[in-house]
Amino acid sequence: MAYMNAPAAPIPLDGEGESRLSFVRQPRSSVNAVSEILAGLASQPKSLSPKFFYDSLGASLFDRITVLPEYYLTRSERDIFKRYESHIAAALGTGRILIEPGSGSSEKVELLLNALRPGAYVPLEITESHVLEASRNLVKRYPWLTVHAICADYTGGMDLPASLPPGQRLLFFPGSTIGNFEPADASRFLREMHRVCGDGGSLLIGVDLRKDEAVLNAAYNDSEGITARFNRNILTHVNRLADADFDIEQFQHMAFFNPIESRIEMHLESLKDQCVRVGAREVQLEAGERIHTENSYKYTVEGFQDVARLAGFTPRETWYDEAGWFSVQLLDA
Ligand code: AVJ
């Protein structure tokens, strides 16, 4: 990759911390977004990648989901980080090179920064404004912290700049984002994280667990309808990305637990026979036909550890919230 060897040029900062922040950017691939959208809508059943949920409205709707009474995932994980902060830090030691794919606003890592005291923090985030704002705030708030920010789509693999400081690596992948990956893609991504970990590296990962179906179904069908708005907003985003004319009023949110696949599925169900223009193409939908927008796999601890072992990891420790609904797992590369 061309960007791999590009020097990490320090970006200008007004305030303090400039010398502790560098930034590199992977060449944009928005052309691929359009062909990915078209391919998904041409397949049977129709689908859209959940990564298209997150335009700025989608990101703020997701933030509202995380504080809903029914959506326990974020709360449970935060409880684990707070409660076991010192255990996690003791297991990992300080001075690690802390790498976070899909870092967003870097909120979660802050819960562990003081305890982990990493040698450097390396956030990888597709939205440049998010990674820059988060990184600027971090170097201001943590005067000892060095940040190497990378704007990249990690789903295509992680090509880290050769200029990263040496040291034992810690990959941080919270939020049960791994649940969005199909089993084959989860295996592939775990192998990729194993490669990036290198010798002596570790992975700290948040994994949502299989539980009572009523709890799972409620978490994705909240009474305020925020998840429904989040789901339908993918069409608004696709309208902009691919010059399409979806009318979100003509689609209904649908989310349910599929026990055979052990996953929550989200779909958008067409309320009528309709024809939608997507760029130069036309997409036909029948009444009741669905567009599959997300899977959120729910693992058992043992089931996830088996997958991780096949990717080369050795499970070391697992921490749970009080209800035992969510897990944070430490795996050695
Ligand atoms: C961010 C992928 C963990 O699957 O629970 C929340 C996204 N979708 N409500 C999840 C989501 C619907 C969330 N992850």
Side-chain angles (χ1 to χ4, degrees):
M1 297 258 131
Y3 98 104
M4 224 179 113
N5 300 315
I11 58 153
L13 273 180
D14 297 334
E16 11 153 355
E18 174 175 5
S19 59
R20 290 180 287 108
L21 174 55
S22 71
F23 174 65
V24 286
R25 184 171 190 250
Q26 188 175 30
R28 268 308 234 165
S29 50
S30 55
V31 192
N32 295 346
V34 176
S35 45
E36 208 181 324
I37 288 164
L38 286 168
L41 293 174
S43 63
Q44 208 44 254
K46 293 180 172 63
S47 65
L48 288 168
S49 166
K51 72 180 174 196
F52 299 123
F53 282 133
Y54 302 96
D55 64 351
S56 60
L57 178 57
S60 67
L61 286 169
F62 180 70
D63 285 343
R64 289 178 65 184
I65 287 175
T66 64
V67 295
L68 289 169
E70 297 96 333
Y71 194 79
Y72 60 86
L73 287 81
T74 313
R75 228 171 358 256
S76 299
E77 189 178 51
R78 192 186 318 112
D79 289 349
I80 297 169
F81 289 147
K82 284 192 173 153
R83 194 155 157 201
Y84 296 108
E85 183 185 16
S86 59
H87 295 72
I88 294 170
L92 287 162
T94 56
R96 296 252 187 172
I97 308 304
L98 176 55
I99 300 168
E100 183 178 4
S103 50
S105 55
S106 293
E107 253 166 40
K108 289 173 181 174
V109 82
E110 272 211 78
L111 297 169
L112 298 173
L113 273 185
N114 278 322
L116 285 177
R117 277 264 173 174
Y121 173 54
V122 184
L124 268 98
E125 168 56 42
I126 192 165
T127 311
E128 183 172 322
S129 58
H130 289 175
V131 73
L132 280 178
E133 196 192 319
S135 301
R136 287 190 166 112
N137 286 331
L138 287 176
V139 291
K140 268 182 219 154
R141 282 205 285 272
Y142 300 86
W144 48 266
L145 183 67
T146 301
V147 177
H148 299 272
I150 300 173
C151 178
D153 178 358
Y154 69 83
T155 56
M158 288 178 278
D159 288 306
L160 300 181
S163 56
L164 285 188
Q168 279 194 323
R169 291 179 168 183
L170 171 61
L171 266 86
F172 182 55
F173 200 52
S176 203
T177 306
I178 194 70
N180 271 178
F181 291 66
E182 292 296 321
D185 294 336
S187 298
R188 204 172 305 131
F189 188 58
L190 282 164
R191 272 197 297 278
E192 173 69 354
M193 289 199 285
H194 184 267
R195 181 186 71 78
V196 171
C197 273
D199 283 340
S202 303
L203 167 64
L204 189 66
I205 185 167
V207 182
D208 193 24
L209 302 176
R210 190 162 175 163
K211 62 185 63 64
D212 181 1
E213 291 190 17
V215 174
L216 288 170
N217 283 320
Y220 295 83
N221 290 283
D222 64 278
S223 58
E224 283 179 61
I226 308 295
T227 308
R229 285 175 59 191
F230 173 74
N231 193 9
R232 297 200 299 179
N233 177 64
I234 201 172
L235 298 179
T236 313
H237 190 202
V238 162
N239 281 347
R240 258 184 288 117
L241 285 173
D243 182 32
D245 65 357
F246 281 101
D247 176 2
I248 67 163
E249 297 303 317
Q250 300 307 326
F251 290 86
Q252 180 176 296
H253 166 70
M254 182 174 227
F256 56 86
F257 185 65
N258 175 339
I260 312 263
E261 304 286 351
S262 193
R263 67 191 190 197
I264 287 280
E265 296 183 12
M266 290 216 308
H267 302 262
L268 289 164
E269 188 175 284
S270 178
L271 292 173
K272 59 172 192 189
D273 291 346
Q274 51 183 316
C275 176
V276 179
R277 188 183 55 77
V278 184
R281 303 209 204 164
E282 294 202 322
V283 175
Q284 304 285 341
L285 287 124
E286 286 170 26
E289 188 178 348
R290 298 170 187 171
I291 303 173
H292 191 169
T293 51
E294 184 174 53
N295 288 318
S296 191
Y297 282 85
K298 307 302 172 187
Y299 289 91
T300 62
V301 170
E302 301 70 34
F304 185 76
Q305 288 180 345
D306 289 344
V307 180
R309 274 196 198 90
L310 287 173
F313 286 102
T314 306
R316 179 140 54 111
E317 249 180 283
T318 303
W319 296 276
Y320 305 87
D321 61 319
E322 263 193 291
W325 284 354
F326 197 92
S327 67
V328 171
Q329 306 195 25
L330 173 60
L331 309 150
D332 292 325

